[in-house]
Amino acid sequence: MPAPADTLPVLILAGGASRRMGGRDKALAELAGRRLIDIVVERLRPQARVLAISGPGDYATGLEAIPDRADGPRGPAAGLWAMSAWMAARLPGARGFCTAPVDGPFAPHDLVARLSSAGGCAVAHDGENDQPAFALWELAALRRVLEAAPAGEGIALHALAHRCGAARVRFPASSFFNVNAPEDLARAEALLANG
C-alpha cells in the first residue's frame, strides 16, 4: 500500500559540480530575479511535511542540509545514501522519500502524490525518457541496491532506478526542463513568461 504523499520526505538534489555552469553553484543561479533553490523549495514545500537539501549547506533556506557521507557511493547516488542514513536516525519506520533536482524549476505540483501512487520505487517519465532525479525511492530497495554496489564508486540514477525496479509515472515533458547551462536560464525565463 502506498504511503500517503504528504508523509514522504522530499530531498532536493543540490550537490552537483555544475561543470556546464562554469563551476557556479546552480542553486544560486537566478531565474526571473529569484534563486533556483528558492523556486524549487516553493514548488515542493506544499508536497511534503519534511523537505531537505542534499548538499553541504542550506542556502539560508532554514531546511535541513544533508551532506554526502564517506561510507557511501560517489556521484548523485551519494545524496540518496546519506538521506537513507539520515532517515534511519531521524524518521525510523519511514518507507521512503522523493527526490527532485535544484535545476528543475518546473517540478510538477503533484510530483509526490503521483509518484507515491505507484506503490514502490517510481521514476518520472516524460513520454520519451526517464527522469530519475525526479523519483520516489523506497528505503528497503534503495539500501539493498546501494549496499551491493562497490564501495567508493558511483552509480547513475538511471541504473539505480532500474535495479530498484522503479515503476514509470508519466508527466508532461515541460515539467523536466533543466537549467544546466547559462543559456538555459533565458529559455526558462521565456517558459515562465508563457505560463
Side-chain angles (χ1 to χ4, degrees), residues 20 26 36 101-106 131 133-134 173-181 184-185 187-188 191:
R20 285 180 279 179
K26 283 195 269 190
L36 282 178
V102 75
D103 60 3
F106 305 116
Q131 299 289 336
F134 297 87
S174 59
S175 301
F176 306 115
F177 181 88
N178 287 115
V179 178
N180 288 318
D184 292 334
L185 288 168
R187 292 177 60 204
L191 289 172

Side-chain angles (χ1 to χ4, degrees), residues 21-153:
M21 291 288 280
R24 176 182 175 197
D25 191 335
K26 283 195 269 190
L28 301 176
E30 291 198 357
L31 172 59
R34 298 180 64 210
R35 302 182 309 167
L36 282 178
I37 185 66
D38 298 321
I39 294 169
V40 172
V41 166
E42 183 179 89
R43 288 185 83 89
L44 297 173
R45 190 182 296 278
Q47 301 188 49
R49 290 183 190 168
V50 176
L51 191 58
I53 296 173
S54 172
D58 74 346
Y59 299 98
T61 61
L63 300 178
E64 183 89 25
I66 302 175
D68 293 350
R69 295 166 52 103
D71 63 345
R74 305 280 67 89
L80 307 189
W81 176 259
M83 182 65 168
S84 71
W86 183 88
M87 287 180 65
R90 300 284 188 91
L91 300 170
R95 293 182 55 195
F97 62 96
C98 289
T99 54
V102 75
D103 60 3
F106 305 116
H109 292 291
D110 59 352
L111 177 72
V112 176
R114 294 197 49 217
L115 290 174
S116 68
S117 70
C121 291
V123 61
H125 187 75
D126 66 12
E128 292 186 9
N129 300 298
D130 290 341
Q131 299 289 336
F134 297 87
L136 187 157
W137 306 96
E138 196 167 60
L139 284 175
L142 178 66
R143 299 273 317 180
R144 184 175 64 250
V145 172
L146 290 181
E147 286 169 1
E153 294 185 15

